[in-house]
Amino acid sequence: MTEGSPPSFDQSFRRQLEVLLQWRRDVRRFRSDPIDEETLRQLIAIIGTAPSVGFSQPTRLVIVRNVERRAAVLANFIEVRARAQTSYEGERAARYASLKLEGLREAPVHLAVFCDEDTETGAKLGARTMPETHAYSTVLAIGTLWLAARARGIGVGWVSILDPDKITEILAVPPAWRFIAYLCVGYPQEEHVDRELERAGWEKRDPRSVFISER
């Protein structure tokens, strides 16, 4: 293969990629083993390979190491989860209360992901009529990180039961940064190819999970 020419991905590679996609699970149960700094550096570098609208590169990553800030994030999760539970009734409420929805206490690495909505990089190309594509680009960066972590045997859990304004305040980031995700990262305590919410009886897979329409 000459420099700059595209690689050839054979059937074996494509099958492995499919397996990687199937085993990319949202992890909530982590071992406390640390992730070495070189591996973490590699994962963060891979985020830069993700596509972004107009090559705007709007993703901003905060590695949350401070114990007090981590505790504040956990406290916010507990508060928001309690409020969310009041929106369910009966068996659904009981099932919700039984779910493990985060790995904030156990995961060795906490990553807060933001989108810089005021970024001038890319000169707003492709985002003037759809400014939300900056946030979409950040979500693509998260997906890229997630797959790269899974390929190294590392799990990622997306904690979304949080107050975005409060997280922005806790982490003291610029006001133009839009909170997108809080990620717990670490080695999984257990491995499953099926989703935890399926095993817990919260929801069944919809055979129409990808709805296709023709016009």
Side-chain angles (χ1 to χ4, degrees):
M1 184 177 69
T2 60
E3 184 178 356
S5 63
S8 176
F9 301 113
D10 60 17
Q11 179 60 30
S12 175
F13 177 88
R14 292 193 292 272
R15 177 55 189 153
Q16 284 293 98
L17 177 58
E18 290 173 7
V19 171
L20 174 62
L21 293 169
Q22 290 165 3
W23 279 89
R24 185 228 47 83
R25 297 273 65 90
D26 186 75
V27 176
R28 293 92 182 270
R29 305 172 194 277
F30 295 93
R31 305 201 311 261
S32 59
D33 313 41
I35 296 176
D36 68 84
E37 288 297 317
E38 176 60 20
T39 299
L40 182 59
R41 186 197 65 77
Q42 291 172 4
L43 289 175
I44 291 173
I46 285 172
I47 293 176
T49 68
S52 63
V53 62
F55 201 30
S56 55
Q57 307 158 71
T59 302
R60 305 291 180 259
L61 199 67
V62 176
I63 305 175
V64 185
R65 302 187 190 272
N66 181 272
V67 174
E68 287 77 15
R69 282 183 166 145
R70 284 194 180 197
V73 170
L74 175 60
N76 184 248
F77 166 82
I78 293 170
E79 177 187 345
V80 175
R81 175 174 177 151
R83 291 205 306 265
Q85 186 169 340
T86 64
S87 65
Y88 300 108
E89 297 179 351
E91 182 183 346
R92 199 66 155 174
R95 197 176 295 275
Y96 179 86
S98 70
L99 295 173
K100 181 169 176 53
L101 298 175
E102 46 74 35
L104 292 167
R105 298 169 179 82
E106 304 89 359
V109 175
H110 289 200
L111 300 177
V113 188
F114 295 84
C115 171
D116 183 357
E117 298 195 313
D118 279 355
T119 181
E120 290 301 322
T121 307
K124 308 297 183 184
L125 176 64
R128 293 192 182 277
T129 56
M130 293 183 66
E132 64 271 23
T133 52
H134 282 144
Y136 298 164
S137 299
T138 297
V139 173
L140 283 169
I142 293 169
T144 301
L145 167 69
W146 212 320
L147 291 173
R150 174 63 267 187
R152 290 164 171 76
I154 295 170
V156 176
W158 185 327
V159 184
S160 60
I161 305 174
L162 295 167
D163 180 332
D165 292 338
K166 186 63 177 178
I167 300 304
T168 297
E169 176 188 327
I170 291 169
L171 299 181
V173 301
W177 289 13
R178 176 182 173 185
F179 177 64
I180 302 295
Y182 198 93
L183 306 178
C184 295
V185 183
Y187 293 101
Q189 192 180 94
E190 53 189 45
E191 301 274 16
H192 298 275
V193 71
D194 58 336
R195 290 167 170 78
E196 180 158 342
L197 291 180
E198 286 184 283
R199 295 196 307 277
W202 180 258
E203 191 57 82
K204 297 178 181 178
R205 175 177 290 280
D206 187 340
R208 304 168 302 163
S209 57
V210 178
F211 180 78
I212 301 173
S213 178
E214 296 185 11
R215 295 289 188 270

